[in-house]
């Protein structure tokens, strides 16, 4: 069953055309790893999917429901309220965590429930504790981000996204800002989420992890899907020259 | 011949000076509260992507930042009544002038504070479905305000000193009281020394309190921003 259908998605920043017509259909439970060189538009693609960036052209349908309405010139017009709903349904985890430094770990996780959902405090707190426990940080509930390691921060950020009950999760290089010895704990959490059957799109340079966790690999080049397929197809037997060159430059992984 | 200091005639007029200080604090306090509130509004308008909001806010800010406060005070006290036919008491004219004048400075403090918060904080807030105003209130402003405290304090001190201008329209603030005491006692040296000391003590105490607040916030462990 399709949860997300993207057709002809384009995006430009000034004169730079960053996305040049992305067509993508995501089935419920799919885990898609997005690979690509720096500047190929991976982050922009993810950010368009939860409308952190307004798409320039094309359409996005979530759960069979087309988002926005058509304007006079055929462009799509989005209401802020609609996008706010979408962002609650499509969670996002960032490379730089983006935790709120003036709130404790549990404060970060509760924030969306309290402010966005208007959930009463005891209920929100109970829910936040559950999510922190899920990422193995129950005992860090009252710690401020400044006193957490990078890996712990990213796990809190994941808990914060999970608290909103998203139908789909977007990860933008969740381990790229981490010291090597802290990467494993974050990947373990993502793997556990994968095993629960969650739908996720993951931008990553951890090719070994992508191979194990993803059900599909997409290779992005110049703002377009250059090659896609199963991890075996794309990572072991890439058909396109550019995919091969990209993988060759990331040789340090093992399957 | 050495000057013979004698503070007793000045001290005999302490109640007058105390009343003056109370009035100075009243004007300063009123202008501070209104100025900060209006300053925040002006800053938010100025940061708006809608030009019909940002442009007028920018205009007000620039006008009040680039004209002398004394001219502004005279304008509100002597000129505005001619336009609108409403007489203002010296207190109201002063409160209005200093509120808008300090607001234009506070607006710039707010703007700098808000803009100093990394884009990632907006991202984090929006990604969990916050509206713009929710992100501002819950995530951006609490962090910005903390960074603003020193600049804010500087502006508040500046404001208190600026309020002495209100003496020129015969409002009985501390400076006005000092003029009176000085003329009554023929002791200008002692009078203005005492008055300078009062300003010093009040402002010094206030800035110490601000420093304590700043330290308290820093020590609560959350201030280290990454
Ligand atoms: N807000 C923006 N304003 C202007 N240009 C932007 C903006 N965001 C991205 N770009 C540009 O769009 C292009 C694609 O950026 P994007 O961040 O999507 O690439 P990426 O594949 O995620 O790269 P990386 O691997 O370095 O994260 C780059 O050339 C970038 O400079
Ligand atoms: Mg990126």
């Amino acid at each position: 069953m399709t949860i997300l259908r993207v057709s002809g998605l384009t995006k430009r920043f000034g004169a730079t055309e960053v996305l040049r017509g992305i067509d993508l259909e995501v089935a419920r439970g799919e885990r898609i790893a997005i690979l690509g060189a720096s500047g190929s538009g991976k982050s922009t693609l993810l950010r368009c999917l939860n409308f952190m960036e307004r798409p320039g052209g094309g359409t996005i349908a979530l759960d069979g429901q087309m988002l926005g309405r058509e304007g006079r010139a055929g462009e799509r017009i989005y209401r802020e309220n609609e996008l706010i709903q979408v962002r609650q349904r499509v969670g996002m985890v960032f490379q730089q965590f983006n935790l709120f430094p003036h709130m404790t770990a549990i404060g970060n996780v509760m924030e969306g429930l309290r402010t966005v959902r208007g959930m009463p405090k005891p209920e929100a707190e109970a829910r936040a504790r559950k999510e922190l426990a899920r990422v193995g940080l129950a005992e860090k509930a009252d710690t401020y981000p400044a006193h957490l390691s990078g890996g712990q921060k990213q796990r809190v950020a994941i808990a914060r996204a999970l608290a909103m009950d998203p139908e789909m999760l977007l990860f933008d290089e969740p381990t790229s800002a981490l010291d090597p010895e802290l990467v494993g704990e974050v990947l373990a959490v993502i793997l556990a989420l994968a095993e629960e059957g969650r739908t996720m799109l993951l931008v990553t340079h951890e090719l070994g992890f992508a191979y194990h966790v993803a059900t599909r690999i997409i290779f992005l080049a110049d703002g377009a899907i250059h090659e896609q397929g199963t991890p075996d197809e794309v990572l072991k037997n890439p058909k396109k020259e550019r995919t091969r060159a990209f993988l060759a430059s990331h040789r340090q992984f093992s399957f | 011949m050495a000057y013979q200091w004698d503070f007793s005639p000045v001290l005999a007029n302490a109640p007058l000076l105390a009343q003056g200080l109370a009035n100075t604090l009243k004007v300063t306090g009123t202008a501070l509260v209104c100025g900060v509130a209006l300053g925040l509004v002006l800053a938010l308008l100025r940061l708006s992507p809608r030009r019909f909001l940002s442009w007028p806010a920018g205009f007000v800010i620039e006008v009040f930042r680039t004209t002398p406060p004394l001219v502004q005070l005279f304008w509100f006290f002597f000129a505005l009544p001619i336009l609108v036919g409403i007489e203002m008491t010296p207190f109201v004219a002063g409160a209005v002038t200093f509120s808008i004048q300090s607001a234009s400075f506070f607006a710039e403090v707010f703007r700098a504070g808000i803009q100093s918060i990394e884009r990632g904080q907006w991202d984090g807030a929006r990604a969990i479905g916050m509206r713009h105003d929710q992100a501002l209130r819950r995530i951006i402003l609490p962090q910005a305000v903390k960074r603003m405290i020193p600049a804010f304090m500087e502006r508040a001190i500046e404001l208190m000193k600026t309020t002495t201008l209100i003496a020129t329209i015969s409002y009985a603030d501390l400076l006005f009281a000092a003029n009176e005491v000085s003329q009554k006692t023929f002791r200008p040296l002692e009078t203005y020394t005492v008055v300078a000391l009062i300003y010093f003590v009040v402002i010094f105490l206030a800035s110490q309190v601000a420093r304590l607040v700043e330290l308290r916030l820093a020590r609560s462990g959350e201030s280290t921003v990454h």
Side-chain angles (χ1 to χ4, degrees):
Chain A
M1 196 183 119
T2 304
I3 180 168
L4 182 78
R5 177 177 283 124
V6 179
S7 322
L9 177 68
T10 61
K11 177 70 183 175
R12 61 187 319 144
F13 292 111
T16 336
E17 204 172 355
V18 180
L19 298 178
R20 305 161 188 262
I22 302 274
D23 296 309
L24 177 64
E25 207 162 297
V26 182
R28 205 171 278 281
E30 254 197 300
R31 298 182 294 277
I32 302 179
I34 300 169
L35 312 179
S38 181
S40 56
K42 306 180 295 292
S43 297
T44 306
L45 172 58
L46 282 200
R47 292 172 63 87
C48 282
L49 296 185
N50 71 345
F51 294 89
M52 303 289 285
E53 302 284 357
R54 288 289 172 101
T59 60
I60 297 175
L62 190 59
D63 251 340
Q65 199 176 7
M66 187 75 87
L67 301 175
R69 61 181 174 82
E70 193 160 315
R72 284 214 191 100
E75 83 283 13
R76 293 210 77 76
I77 298 172
Y78 300 97
R79 280 179 310 113
E80 188 62 19
N81 272 344
E82 183 182 24
L83 304 187
I84 280 162
Q85 294 302 321
V86 171
R87 292 190 198 113
Q88 293 178 53
R89 295 168 64 187
V90 181
M92 187 161 200
V93 174
F94 303 89
Q95 181 176 356
Q96 297 298 336
F97 330 127
N98 297 345
L99 288 185
F100 310 133
H102 57 306
M103 296 177 182
T104 58
I106 196 165
N108 269 271
V109 181
M110 285 167 64
E111 185 55 27
L113 297 173
R114 299 276 292 131
T115 301
V116 178
R117 293 273 163 82
M119 192 184 274
K121 193 169 176 197
E123 210 178 312
E125 200 174 318
R127 176 64 199 271
R129 278 194 201 286
K130 211 182 93 199
E131 296 304 341
L132 280 177
R134 190 211 291 269
V135 299
L137 289 174
E139 80 286 2
K140 295 289 185 188
D142 298 318
T143 307
Y144 284 96
H147 300 291
L148 294 173
S149 73
Q152 291 170 334
K153 279 185 215 171
Q154 193 59 296
R155 283 146 68 196
V156 173
I158 293 172
R160 179 175 72 180
L162 290 174
M164 303 305 283
D165 276 324
E167 295 162 51
M168 191 167 86
L169 284 167
L170 309 174
F171 293 90
D172 192 358
E173 301 198 36
T175 59
S176 294
L178 299 178
D179 293 335
E181 73 272 19
L182 301 178
V183 168
E185 63 187 69
V186 173
L187 293 184
V189 167
I190 298 174
L191 190 63
L193 295 174
E195 281 162 357
E196 288 175 14
R198 288 186 182 260
T199 312
M200 52 176 84
L201 270 68
L202 170 81
V203 172
T204 185
H205 290 294
E206 305 277 345
L207 299 189
F209 184 71
Y211 180 79
H212 284 296
V213 82
T215 54
R216 181 165 29 143
I217 305 274
I218 286 178
F219 177 68
L220 218 58
D222 297 333
I225 295 177
H226 193 66
E227 180 166 0
Q228 64 175 318
T230 66
D232 275 317
E233 288 166 354
V234 177
L235 293 176
K236 288 198 166 162
N237 305 296
K239 293 191 180 61
K240 300 271 183 84
E241 186 50 44
R242 284 186 75 169
T243 317
R244 250 176 260 143
F246 174 82
L247 293 175
S249 66
H250 284 74
R251 259 305 153 228
Q252 67 283 38
F253 69 89
S254 57
F255 295 138
Chain B
M1 191 183 81
Y3 183 76
Q4 292 290 310
W5 291 84
D6 182 8
F7 282 99
S8 51
V10 177
L11 296 180
N13 284 291
L16 207 57
L17 293 176
Q19 183 56 48
L21 176 61
N23 285 342
T24 286
L25 293 177
K26 196 168 115 190
V27 178
T28 306
T30 307
L32 192 60
V33 171
C34 300
V36 167
L38 183 61
L40 177 58
V41 172
L42 283 174
L44 295 179
L45 290 175
R46 189 166 205 187
L47 287 170
S48 166
R50 302 197 180 96
R51 214 168 292 167
F52 70 91
L53 293 178
S54 67
W55 197 86
F59 180 75
V60 171
I61 291 169
E62 288 314 317
V63 165
F64 277 86
R65 266 156 50 95
T66 54
T67 49
L70 189 57
V71 174
Q72 296 164 10
L73 182 64
F74 284 2
W75 195 86
F76 275 102
F77 188 62
F78 297 116
L80 189 63
I82 298 172
L83 267 183
V84 297
I86 303 168
E87 288 287 330
M88 274 195 257
T89 65
F91 173 77
V92 171
V96 167
T97 306
F98 300 134
S99 293
I100 305 177
Q101 199 255 345
S102 63
S104 64
F105 283 97
F106 284 126
E108 290 302 278
V109 175
F110 274 115
R111 185 167 74 118
I114 290 170
Q115 286 181 330
S116 78
I117 304 298
E118 332 36 62
R119 190 176 94 133
Q121 290 295 306
W122 287 100
D123 280 355
R126 291 170 70 217
I128 51 174
M130 280 197 196
R131 296 190 311 262
H132 182 85
D133 63 296
Q134 291 172 326
L136 200 59
R137 184 168 47 83
R138 298 284 307 161
I139 308 302
I140 305 302
L141 277 177
Q143 296 181 62
V145 164
K146 215 179 291 177
R147 292 183 196 181
M148 281 163 34
I149 290 175
F152 178 89
M153 203 54 215
E154 213 166 290
R155 283 295 142 210
I157 289 171
E158 208 54 51
L159 169 63
M160 182 162 186
K161 294 195 280 191
T162 306
T163 61
T164 49
L165 296 174
I166 203 172
T168 61
I169 55 170
S170 303
Y171 180 71
D173 79 331
L174 182 54
L175 182 63
F176 188 86
N179 291 340
E180 219 172 308
V181 172
S182 148
Q183 281 160 24
K184 225 161 83 176
T185 60
F186 302 106
R187 288 280 171 185
L189 185 54
E190 285 83 349
T191 307
Y192 290 110
T193 304
V194 166
V195 164
L197 205 67
I198 294 173
Y199 276 110
F200 169 76
V201 168
V202 169
I203 290 175
F204 183 76
L205 284 181
S207 55
Q208 288 310 303
V209 170
R211 199 147 303 155
L212 275 181
V213 171
E214 213 182 325
L215 277 179
R216 170 80 56 86
L217 287 174
R219 220 177 296 133
S220 59
E222 70 227 63
S223 72
T224 328
V225 180
H226 293 281

